[in-house]
Amino acid sequence: MSTTSRKKSKLTLGLFLSYVLLVIIAICCIYPALWVVLASFRPGAALYSPTLIPKSLTLDHYHELLTSTRFKFTTWYWNTLKIATLTMVFSTILTTLSGYSLSRFRFRSRKTIMTGVLILSMFPTFMSLTAFYVLLLQLKLFDNIYALVAIYSAAGLLQAFVVKGFFDTIPRSLEESARIDGASNLQIFARIMLPLSKPMLTYVALMSFTGAWVDFILAKVVLRSKDHWSVAVGLFDLVDKEQNSNFALFATGSVLIALPITILFVFLQRFLVDGLTAGASKG
Amino acid sequence: MNAHRQVAAVLSVLSFGLGQLYNRQYMKGLILLLVEVVGLSYFINNLSHAIWGLVTLGKTPTHFETINGVATTVKGDHSIFLMLGGLITLLLLFLFVAAYVMNIKDAYRTGKKREEGHKPANIVESVRYVMDKRFPEIFLSIPILGVLFVTILPIIFTMLIAFTNYSGPDNLPPAKVLKWVGFRTFHDLIMFKTWSYTFFHILGWTIVWAVVATFTTYMGGVLVALLVNQKGIRLKGMWRTIFIIPYAIPQLVSLLVMKNMFNGQFGPINQYLGYFGLGKLPWLTDPTMAKITVIIVNMWVGIPVSMILIMGVLTAIPKDLYEAAEVDGASAFMKFRLITMPFILFTTAPLLIIQFAGNINNFNVIFLLTKGDPVNGKFQYGGSTDLLVTWLYKLTLDQQKYNIAAAVGIIIFIMIASLSIWSYRKTRSFKEEDMIQ
């Protein structure tokens, strides 16, 4: 036997083991998600079933969750959609403009702002809960979804670092020639920076959308009446009250919340990966 | 006349906008005058009350009084409203003073321009100038104002609470008026046996958790990324997509699902164990097991993020390094130890510290999975898996120990802020101030 063929068999054995590992990890990744999806279609309300694949499928749980007056799931869904979309729009605009300013301009207090943003983003949100509570109560904005949008969007500046990191990678020469041609700052931003930053924009938009979509800490404090709840608050309530008695309903709610976001993520993962790495290794 | 700048500046010192009017910038001057009228009328009405409120935190609590033989509630001072209102007024005053200083500077500058023979800019030119030269300041001012009121104000407010006696059940407005107590809350937290025992134990677990959670997700990410990126592995894109799924599912959902899966009585994991003839495990109910479970679940949630990052880093390693190593006859493991790992570590070191800081504050994983339970009888309102942040949450929302919670928050903040500032100062985005491109 020559050494090359022994090397080859060692290689294929290694590859085989790698594939086995990959499959095991893949199962670990998919299993919980698959289990919840299937549980939502399974008849009955029990948490456990001896087989992963149910013997029969039913849409009863979806029907119950969406029509029952005990839950106001459709109202929550609509609320959440409003909150998340508005937050996404405002937050993306603010974050992108701030990231652009921090990346492309040198002005006094720039470093102060950057350090400040950094410190603030490390602050635990819950520390501000009492303050929000009193503040909103005083401003009569309690239990108001737009107050929540305002808070989420204003906090958007704290993400500006990732955007700045991305803009830093766009060559300066591009805008310099535009500036010689007499383009204004806003024109440069709109015509040159924006088209080049599609992955970044996708990332920021998605992050702010999903952040608002699933946040429940702040939402729980701000949104008090059941009519104004977001899906996250509703789901948390559901699992708190009936996780053992009606697991199927919880599973259904989970699928309805997670599905749009998960599809978006998987669909846009190329942009995501770019955005994440640009923000991280270069930021 | 050749002393426009002094005249303009002095006039602006006397009143907003006068200098601008003198400089024949009528529009600007009128706007500034309007700002002053609005501002002054607000401060005359509110400032003294605000300062009084902040200093005394109020005199009379809401109480019952017998008026003509009938007991009626008399609305008193609400310390918390006084405190917050006072802060807002001070913040507005700060902005007002900043505007005042800018108004004087602007009048001086325009006056100087006039002395040099330039015509003062009209309103259209001013706007154009601002858009061109003051672009970053203008665009940052909007989010900064937002952050000022939505982030900084609440933080200052919370910090102040640590220095009051605001805590349930005895000291809650409006039935009581709060008092400033200086550093007594911090003193109690460190010196009182019941508090300090809980605090130091939770602090210890928080640090252990942050170290282990960061290490496991990071190394897990490295291994998975290397596994997928190996030469000869097909369908790389598919594997990556599958491994991203845990990251794509909202944590709120996946963690609540995990909580059900690890449920000791009804959870499928224990049911399967029973199916194979094994005993049930107290995944979330035994203190030690709960800690291990939390770390395992955190790996499930956290490895995908590290994987994505490290895949990005891997593509940046120069290929010729490996070729040279192969010529020298290096084994796969040596290549990993001497080339891959140092490269990954070097690029992601600052990130590791950020992840560490993030894990100290990892509220979601703990709260959604265990709520900090199982309850520890020796702890003051805490459980075995409680991190400082989840303890803080309980102290605030369940126990109304606002002052202790605020003190804990300040301590967490000092820890994390010093850590992250130190690491950020080391990253390139802070150092490379002049872009080399």
Side-chain angles (χ1 to χ4, degrees):
Chain A
M1 284 301 250
S2 66
T3 44
T4 44
S5 71
R6 207 185 309 149
K7 207 171 176 184
K8 210 171 200 174
S9 69
K10 201 176 145 196
L11 251 183
T12 40
L13 183 70
L15 265 186
F16 176 73
L17 283 179
S18 302
Y19 276 117
V20 171
L21 261 179
L22 283 173
V23 170
I24 292 175
I25 300 173
I27 291 174
C28 290
C29 286
I30 298 174
Y31 185 78
L34 194 64
W35 185 69
V36 169
V37 173
L38 290 173
S40 71
F41 290 114
R42 192 186 298 139
L47 176 56
Y48 171 72
S49 125
T51 51
L52 177 66
I53 314 262
K55 294 202 176 66
S56 61
L57 297 175
T58 167
L59 283 173
D60 285 356
H61 304 306
Y62 286 90
H63 189 251
E64 188 187 348
L65 194 66
L66 293 176
T67 55
S68 160
T69 44
R70 200 152 57 91
F71 314 104
K72 301 188 167 175
F73 206 80
T74 39
T75 319
W76 301 342
Y77 219 80
W78 178 234
N79 288 343
T80 319
L81 202 63
K82 270 195 282 192
I83 296 172
T85 314
L86 289 174
T87 305
M88 180 180 77
V89 172
F90 291 130
S91 182
T92 311
I93 295 173
L94 287 183
T95 322
T96 322
L97 279 170
S98 340
Y100 172 56
S101 304
L102 286 175
S103 163
R104 281 310 200 247
F105 296 90
R106 294 292 170 268
F107 49 95
R108 270 192 320 172
S109 70
R110 174 170 172 275
K111 276 208 166 179
T112 322
I113 291 176
M114 279 167 59
T115 320
V117 164
L118 182 72
I119 298 176
L120 290 176
S121 59
M122 295 297 154
F123 226 87
T125 329
F126 341 99
M127 268 197 77
S128 328
L129 282 182
T130 331
F132 281 137
Y133 186 92
V134 182
L135 200 63
L136 295 175
L137 210 60
Q138 253 193 339
L139 296 172
K140 302 213 176 0
L141 286 172
F142 211 51
D143 204 13
N144 183 327
I145 61 170
Y146 299 105
L148 203 58
V149 171
I151 297 176
Y152 288 147
S153 313
L157 177 64
L158 307 183
Q159 283 187 38
F161 260 100
V162 186
V163 186
K164 174 195 170 288
F166 183 86
F167 281 140
D168 281 347
T169 63
I170 297 178
R172 282 225 135 181
S173 49
L174 282 178
E175 45 180 307
E176 267 154 18
S177 53
R179 206 166 293 247
I180 291 169
D181 292 343
S184 73
N185 291 316
L186 266 183
Q187 280 169 331
I188 291 176
F189 177 72
R191 300 255 173 83
I192 298 176
M193 304 299 263
L194 275 190
L196 283 173
S197 50
K198 228 193 282 168
M200 190 68 251
L201 285 180
T202 319
Y203 176 76
V204 172
L206 201 56
M207 278 308 174
S208 45
F209 185 85
T210 51
W213 184 272
V214 299
D215 173 70
F216 80 107
I217 304 168
L218 201 59
K220 215 174 140 206
V221 173
V222 174
L223 307 173
R224 281 306 161 108
S225 60
K226 218 170 173 177
D227 280 325
H228 291 158
W229 275 1
S230 65
V231 275
V233 183
L235 188 76
F236 193 75
D237 185 66
L238 202 76
V239 85
D240 238 19
K241 284 201 181 119
E242 25 201 325
Q243 65 163 335
N244 297 331
S245 57
N246 202 341
F247 177 74
L249 224 47
F250 161 73
T252 312
S254 303
V255 171
L256 286 176
I257 293 178
L259 206 62
I261 304 246
T262 310
I263 291 174
L264 262 180
F265 257 80
V266 172
F267 190 62
L268 298 172
Q269 61 151 309
R270 189 171 53 86
F271 289 124
L272 265 176
V273 173
D274 289 352
L276 204 62
T277 41
S281 55
K282 283 151 199 149
Chain B
M1 264 302 269
N2 211 6
H4 289 313
R5 58 181 128 167
Q6 279 92 345
V7 179
V10 169
L11 279 171
S12 268
V13 169
L14 288 178
S15 165
F16 273 70
L18 282 189
Q20 281 76 8
L21 288 178
Y22 168 80
N23 282 335
R24 300 205 191 97
Q25 295 179 309
Y26 299 114
M27 210 39 201
K28 211 196 239 173
L30 284 176
I31 293 171
L32 283 170
L33 268 176
L34 193 70
V35 169
E36 175 173 6
V37 170
V38 174
L40 277 185
S41 63
Y42 173 81
F43 290 116
I44 287 170
N45 284 326
N46 290 301
L47 192 59
S48 63
H49 182 70
I51 291 172
W52 169 82
L54 266 181
V55 172
T56 63
L57 293 180
K59 283 257 162 24
T60 43
T62 301
H63 58 283
F64 287 106
E65 243 172 58
T66 326
I67 302 169
N68 302 331
V70 187
T72 35
T73 348
V74 179
K75 213 163 178 281
D77 302 322
H78 194 301
S79 304
I80 290 302
F81 289 168
L82 284 176
M83 207 159 128
L84 196 62
L87 269 182
I88 294 177
T89 310
L90 284 190
L91 207 61
L92 290 173
L93 182 69
F94 170 75
L95 292 176
F96 189 70
V97 171
Y100 180 60
V101 172
M102 265 159 44
N103 141 68
I104 297 168
K105 273 190 181 166
D106 177 72
Y108 180 85
R109 218 178 295 127
T110 318
K112 199 170 153 197
K113 281 243 173 78
R114 283 180 71 193
E115 288 167 26
E116 287 158 3
H118 299 288
K119 241 184 102 196
N122 64 30
I123 191 78
V124 180
E125 285 162 355
S126 300
V127 170
R128 192 174 295 151
Y129 169 81
V130 161
M131 287 301 278
D132 194 35
K133 295 281 189 272
R134 291 274 167 264
F135 184 84
E137 283 99 328
I138 293 300
F139 273 96
L140 280 170
S141 66
I142 305 163
I144 284 178
L145 268 183
V147 166
L148 206 60
F149 281 95
V150 167
T151 313
I152 297 181
L153 178 76
I155 287 174
I156 299 177
F157 173 75
T158 318
M159 285 188 156
L160 287 181
I161 284 182
F163 300 95
T164 68
N165 59 352
Y166 185 19
S167 74
D170 296 330
N171 287 310
L172 292 177
K176 290 276 162 58
V177 186
L178 299 183
K179 280 193 193 68
W180 294 109
V181 296
F183 282 91
R184 207 176 73 198
T185 313
F186 291 90
H187 179 265
D188 291 354
L189 187 62
I190 309 287
M191 295 302 177
F192 270 23
K193 195 81 179 68
T194 43
W195 284 115
S196 66
Y197 181 83
T198 319
F199 174 68
F200 285 111
H201 272 80
I202 292 184
L203 177 68
W205 159 240
T206 305
I207 291 171
V208 170
W209 148 266
V211 171
V212 176
T214 310
F215 181 78
T216 50
T217 51
Y218 185 78
M219 283 320 285
V222 171
L223 291 180
V224 176
L226 286 176
L227 206 59
V228 177
N229 263 32
Q230 264 182 106
K231 236 187 276 169
I233 294 283
R234 284 159 192 272
L235 300 171
K236 288 197 167 77
M238 182 195 80
W239 294 117
R240 196 175 71 176
T241 309
I242 292 177
F243 297 159
I244 282 180
I245 286 176
Y247 176 61
I249 301 172
Q251 280 198 0
L252 172 79
V253 168
S254 59
L255 290 170
L256 287 177
V257 168
M258 290 287 193
K259 179 187 184 157
N260 279 302
M261 298 196 68
F262 283 102
N263 184 308
Q265 268 184 295
F266 313 99
I269 293 191
N270 268 352
Q271 304 273 9
Y272 287 128
L273 285 180
Y275 201 64
F276 291 113
L278 299 164
K280 293 184 172 183
L281 282 175
W283 294 104
L284 295 170
T285 40
D286 174 75
T288 320
M289 272 307 285
K291 286 179 182 176
I292 296 171
T293 313
V294 167
I295 285 173
I296 293 175
V297 173
N298 183 62
M299 282 170 73
W300 191 83
V301 178
I303 286 180
V305 188
S306 309
M307 181 195 76
I308 297 172
L309 289 172
I310 285 157
M311 279 181 168
V313 176
L314 284 179
T315 55
I317 304 180
K319 292 282 166 293
D320 46 342
L321 281 178
Y322 289 109
E323 281 160 18
E326 253 160 54
V327 171
D328 292 342
S331 70
F333 180 71
M334 278 169 77
K335 276 187 275 182
F336 169 73
R337 197 170 60 92
L338 296 172
I339 303 174
T340 318
M341 208 53 216
F343 197 92
I344 295 177
L345 266 181
F346 179 76
T347 351
T348 52
L351 223 97
L352 258 178
I353 295 167
I354 296 164
Q355 278 184 355
F356 179 78
N359 272 325
I360 291 182
N361 267 345
N362 203 332
F363 182 85
N364 269 356
V365 171
I366 302 290
F367 187 78
L368 292 175
L369 210 59
T370 64
K371 274 196 177 169
D373 293 343
V375 174
N376 186 329
K378 286 185 194 159
F379 283 3
Q380 194 83 319
Y381 314 116
S384 305
T385 55
D386 259 325
L387 301 180
L388 283 175
V389 267
T390 54
W391 189 47
L392 182 127
Y393 181 87
K394 285 180 185 171
L395 288 178
T396 314
L397 275 98
D398 303 340
Q399 306 299 334
Q400 297 182 309
K401 303 281 178 207
Y402 299 105
N403 56 349
I404 293 272
V408 172
I410 291 175
I411 294 171
I412 302 178
F413 168 66
I414 292 173
M415 268 163 48
I416 292 185
S418 41
L419 200 67
S420 45
I421 291 175
W422 175 74
S423 75
Y424 247 113
R425 291 221 174 259
K426 288 188 165 253
T427 62
R428 287 195 293 156
S429 98
F430 229 98
K431 277 185 188 163
E432 277 177 19
E433 280 311 84
D434 298 300
M435 277 157 286
I436 317 155
Q437 267 166 14

